[in-house]
Amino acid sequence: MSIRYISQKLALQIDEELMSSSGAFSLDQLMELAGLSCAQALAKSYPASSHRRVMVACGPGNQGGDGLVAARHLHMFRYKPTIYLPKPGSKDIYQRLLRQCENLNIPVLKDVNEFKKGLGESDVILDAIFGFSFHPPLRAPFHTVLSAITSTSLPIVSVDIPSGWSVTDGPQPLYTESDENGKTESVETFVPEVLVSLTVPKEGVRGFKGRHWLGGRFVPDDLAEKFELNLPEYEGVDQVVELPRIVE
Amino acid sequence: MSIRYISQKLALQIDEELMSSSGAFSLDQLMELAGLSCAQALAKSYPASSHRRVMVACGPGNQGGDGLVAARHLHMFRYKPTIYLPKPGSKDIYQRLLRQCENLNIPVLKDVNEFKKGLGESDVILDAIFGFSFHPPLRAPFHTVLSAITSTSLPIVSVDIPSGWSVTDGPQPLYTESDENGKTESVETFVPEVLVSLTVPKEGVRGFKGRHWLGGRFVPDDLAEKFELNLPEYEGVDQVVELPRIVE
């Protein structure tokens, strides 16, 4: 039985069940374990000896929170992360996670031009911009951010769904929202070398051919059975497990 | 420079700083990482193939919370934990952590006789009863619990400070609180095979000669420097690091 690829709707439902009064997980807990999974997957894909400088691009939602947690653990794993966070989420948890990174003297960039410059001084990108709640069209400044990432030759590790991809259909033509004249702009999307799916892979990454890690070793057995997720076995004390690579 | 052994007072101060508005960590986060460290240290000391059945003895305070988190991760690591929790802490977090374990169908014992019987069906004990806030004398039912643990021949993994030891002076004569006639009872303490110190080892375990792990890979560099903790380097993506063993 191979692993299930789940819809945006089911991904949301699983998160809701985990955090419901019966699931009993807090957002703090799940984000900590998700971010740790992302940091572990990056570390298992790109050793710090050759890929020390990590640009962690964080979006405004929960995936940005995962990115902040990952940046902190990467620092602890002796990487040299830089955070790009143009639109910090308003929830208290993002403020706390950001402060934890600032306490480690991890640089935090807000300006897209600083981000572009920072890419030139990075060895690998952790793409924690959009998660499974993403709906096009794309809003500023993220069209510039995605274009900048697309035009680098750096290896990219994407969290859950490569930013800009459709959660359902994968890489699709992507446009910005229309300006005052009703005009939209086409945005080039990228294909990461590495993907970290959290909890269960989403439908949009079904055809992904790079290295694919699964993270989030906290899904209760009953929940996995109920939704027929067919999760693989993790090894040892790892928080991530590599999925078999798709052969063309 | 060897690692520092810290006082009860400094241990409390470090926890307070981590969770202060400047440290910005939540109890949920720290407990998750502490419990994960305990589960990893147990797994690195006793493989599931030979020590599958783990009795996780939890006290009423924060260390009991670490034990609940560890039990959940041990289940994920394919151990078969049983929880003994005679006096569940009243904070909401303990209720949530307990429910997460119940959702995994981990058995939870409350009665000390069930606990004693359970020890006979276990391969290893995780002692998460008392942490660095422990002050003698000992209260019921914990004198029976400690005596039961002392009288087994099972290997014991203690969290932070072996339960019953003085946080300052290590193994010391231990007594119950006096009964209505003013009488106290002497309680035999145990020496674990393995110890997991959280954040920094405490003064009382300075002479400990078993396997000694350090967990809690989240102490900010500035805080470690300020208190001259001389923390060792963790390896890879591990949440625990083994300290050099004391040779007699």
Side-chain angles (χ1 to χ4, degrees):
Chain A
M1 292 287 276
S2 54
I3 195 167
R4 184 167 174 190
Y5 287 75
I6 63 170
S7 66
Q8 193 171 37
K9 193 178 150 190
L10 183 52
L12 191 66
Q13 190 182 340
I14 288 174
D15 262 21
E16 278 171 0
E17 289 210 12
L18 287 169
M19 286 190 279
S20 69
S21 59
S22 67
F25 278 97
S26 69
L27 184 60
D28 276 57
Q29 277 184 290
L30 294 181
M31 210 167 259
E32 191 62 35
L33 294 174
L36 179 58
S37 297
C38 297
Q40 284 198 355
L42 188 141
K44 284 171 185 278
S45 306
Y46 302 101
S49 50
S50 56
H51 291 74
R52 193 150 176 261
R53 300 169 303 170
V54 187
M55 176 61 77
V56 184
C58 297
N62 279 349
Q63 188 163 108
D66 298 340
L68 294 174
V69 173
R72 170 164 43 83
H73 285 292
L74 285 169
H75 172 93
M76 290 294 168
F77 297 167
R78 285 193 285 288
Y79 288 79
K80 205 175 164 312
T82 295
I83 291 165
Y84 172 56
L85 181 68
K87 303 243 178 209
S90 58
K91 281 191 219 163
D92 169 65
I93 186 170
Y94 303 126
Q95 307 300 323
R96 286 189 281 109
L97 293 175
L98 181 60
R99 194 149 347 115
Q100 290 162 22
C101 289
E102 288 168 343
N103 286 344
L104 299 173
N105 301 309
I106 298 175
V108 182
L109 312 178
K110 292 199 167 168
D111 181 83
V112 71
N113 291 314
E114 283 183 20
F115 169 66
K116 283 189 197 173
K117 184 162 165 269
L119 285 180
E121 295 157 4
S122 301
D123 303 311
V124 54
I125 301 171
L126 183 62
D127 157 32
I129 302 174
F130 298 127
F132 66 73
S133 308
F134 176 69
H135 283 285
L138 207 56
R139 289 201 175 79
F142 291 108
H143 64 295
T144 319
V145 175
L146 262 55
S147 299
I149 294 178
T150 303
S151 63
T152 70
S153 56
L154 294 176
I156 302 165
V157 179
S158 282
V159 178
D160 221 31
I161 186 92
S163 296
W165 287 26
S166 155
V167 184
T168 310
D169 300 310
Q172 296 288 310
L174 182 66
Y175 299 91
T176 56
E177 59 179 351
S178 46
D179 64 15
E180 59 268 32
N181 303 316
K183 275 170 72 176
T184 63
E185 203 179 309
S186 163
V187 182
E188 263 193 274
T189 54
F190 54 81
V191 178
E193 283 191 4
V194 175
L195 180 67
V196 196
S197 286
L198 294 174
T199 320
V200 204
K202 313 304 171 296
E203 286 173 346
V205 302
R206 197 187 287 274
F208 178 70
K209 295 185 181 67
R211 279 190 91 169
H212 190 171
W213 299 92
L214 182 71
R217 193 177 182 176
F218 48 69
V219 179
D221 317 320
D222 289 0
L223 201 147
E225 274 172 39
K226 175 175 158 190
F227 294 117
E228 299 177 335
L229 303 181
N230 304 321
L231 297 179
E233 302 252 317
Y234 288 75
E235 277 176 35
V237 300
D238 286 352
Q239 294 297 306
V240 289
V241 56
E242 191 162 7
L243 298 179
R245 216 151 159 167
I246 292 178
V247 185
E248 298 194 60
Chain B
M1 292 288 275
S2 54
I3 196 166
R4 184 168 174 189
Y5 287 75
I6 64 170
S7 65
Q8 193 171 39
K9 194 177 150 194
L10 183 51
L12 191 66
Q13 191 181 340
I14 288 174
D15 262 22
E16 279 171 359
E17 290 209 13
L18 287 168
M19 287 191 278
S20 69
S21 58
S22 67
F25 278 98
S26 69
L27 184 60
D28 276 58
Q29 277 185 290
L30 293 182
M31 210 167 258
E32 191 63 35
L33 293 174
L36 179 59
S37 297
C38 297
Q40 284 198 355
L42 187 142
K44 283 170 186 279
S45 307
Y46 302 102
S49 51
S50 56
H51 291 75
R52 193 151 175 260
R53 301 168 303 171
V54 187
M55 176 61 77
V56 183
C58 297
N62 279 349
Q63 188 162 110
D66 298 340
L68 294 174
V69 173
R72 170 163 43 84
H73 285 291
L74 285 169
H75 172 93
M76 291 294 168
F77 297 166
R78 286 193 283 288
Y79 288 80
K80 205 175 163 311
T82 295
I83 291 166
Y84 172 56
L85 181 69
K87 302 244 176 209
S90 58
K91 281 190 219 165
D92 168 65
I93 186 169
Y94 303 126
Q95 307 300 322
R96 285 189 281 109
L97 294 175
L98 181 60
R99 195 151 345 115
Q100 290 162 22
C101 289
E102 289 168 343
N103 286 345
L104 300 174
N105 301 310
I106 298 174
V108 181
L109 312 178
K110 292 199 168 169
D111 181 83
V112 72
N113 291 313
E114 282 182 22
F115 169 66
K116 284 189 197 170
K117 184 162 166 270
L119 285 180
E121 296 157 2
S122 301
D123 303 309
V124 55
I125 301 170
L126 182 62
D127 156 32
I129 302 174
F130 298 128
F132 65 73
S133 308
F134 175 68
H135 284 285
L138 207 56
R139 290 202 172 80
F142 291 107
H143 64 292
T144 320
V145 175
L146 261 54
S147 299
I149 295 178
T150 303
S151 64
T152 70
S153 56
L154 294 177
I156 302 165
V157 178
S158 282
V159 179
D160 222 31
I161 186 91
S163 296
W165 287 26
S166 155
V167 185
T168 310
D169 301 310
Q172 296 287 312
L174 183 67
Y175 299 91
T176 57
E177 59 180 353
S178 46
D179 65 14
E180 59 268 31
N181 303 317
K183 276 171 68 177
T184 63
E185 204 179 310
S186 163
V187 182
E188 262 192 275
T189 54
F190 54 81
V191 178
E193 282 191 5
V194 175
L195 179 66
V196 197
S197 287
L198 294 174
T199 320
V200 204
K202 313 304 170 296
E203 284 173 346
V205 302
R206 198 188 286 273
F208 177 71
K209 293 184 181 67
R211 279 190 92 170
H212 190 171
W213 299 91
L214 182 70
R217 193 179 182 177
F218 49 68
V219 179
D221 317 321
D222 289 0
L223 201 146
E225 273 172 38
K226 175 176 158 186
F227 295 117
E228 299 176 335
L229 303 180
N230 304 321
L231 298 179
E233 301 252 316
Y234 289 75
E235 277 176 35
V237 300
D238 286 353
Q239 294 298 307
V240 289
V241 56
E242 190 161 7
L243 299 179
R245 215 150 158 168
I246 291 177
V247 184
E248 297 193 64

